Amino acid sequence: MVVKLIMFREDGQRREFTLVSGPNTIGRKEDCDIRIPLPEVSRRHAEILVEEQSVVLRDLGAANGTYLNSRRIVEEDLEPGDQIVIGPVVFAVQIDGDPDDDDIMVVRSRVSRSSAGESEPTVTTSRHVATSSEDVDPIAALEALASSADQTAINPDEEQ
């Protein structure tokens, strides 16, 4: 079973994360498989368990909760096309290519900026670091990770 979490940039470009079989953690802590270092995200916020015949989203006691299709959940089975919200980040779920790329709902990270021009958050994956600036959104930083799995630091200002 191939399970992907898909995020879309403000400009509509997409970034996808292929999950591994077994548990996949999402949170603020450095050892999470998908790291979102924001105060709204708990250290170990949620887990997605990928098994042979099922995919389960589990909240790990996050103070701000884990949402599936606009509903706060504790544990739920995932279906193709579901939307997961972790802090300010929104993911669409794709399972074995369903929904296909043309039909997947376009979701965007819901990141707010202060009027002072505060930069968007940094989002990283396990053992990788991505930085962002006012001109680079979280998805841009993650896109750099996709093409450089062997690097430990990514410069999002470089063209990939």
Side-chain angles (χ1 to χ4, degrees):
M1 178 180 298
V2 178
V3 180
K4 295 179 183 180
L5 296 184
I6 302 171
M7 297 188 315
F8 289 86
R9 294 176 54 167
E10 289 299 320
D11 63 6
Q13 292 181 345
R14 70 188 256 153
R15 169 66 175 107
E16 58 185 54
F17 300 90
T18 301
L19 302 181
V20 298
S21 182
N24 296 266
T25 56
I26 303 169
R28 196 175 70 222
K29 199 170 176 187
E30 288 184 17
D31 65 350
C32 288
D33 297 305
I34 299 175
R35 185 170 179 244
I36 309 169
L38 295 170
E40 303 97 308
V41 177
S42 294
R43 283 180 225 125
R44 290 181 37 87
H45 197 102
E47 175 180 80
I48 298 176
L49 182 60
V50 178
E51 297 178 326
E52 284 185 36
Q53 299 297 319
S54 68
V55 183
V56 178
L57 172 64
R58 180 179 300 131
D59 180 83
L60 298 176
N64 291 322
T66 300
Y67 292 81
L68 177 63
N69 301 325
S70 302
R71 227 175 11 92
R72 189 171 182 160
I73 60 99
V74 174
E75 181 172 317
E76 292 285 334
D77 289 333
L78 292 176
E79 299 293 331
D82 281 346
Q83 285 189 8
I84 300 170
V85 178
I86 307 276
V89 180
V90 181
F91 298 98
V93 177
Q94 186 180 54
I95 301 174
D96 291 332
D98 184 26
D100 66 23
D101 290 342
D102 292 334
D103 292 332
I104 199 158
M105 179 186 267
V106 176
V107 293
R108 303 184 194 296
S109 294
R110 297 179 307 167
V111 179
S112 60
R113 291 185 181 192
S114 71
S115 58
E118 180 179 305
S119 66
E120 292 188 22
T122 301
V123 180
T124 63
T125 60
S126 182
R127 292 171 294 286
H128 296 277
V129 178
T131 59
S132 66
S133 67
E134 286 186 28
D135 297 330
V136 179
D137 67 25
I139 309 313
L142 291 169
E143 287 170 342
L145 295 172
S147 63
S148 56
D150 295 332
Q151 293 182 347
T152 58
I154 305 299
N155 181 353
D157 296 328
E158 291 179 9
E159 289 291 322
Q160 296 296 322

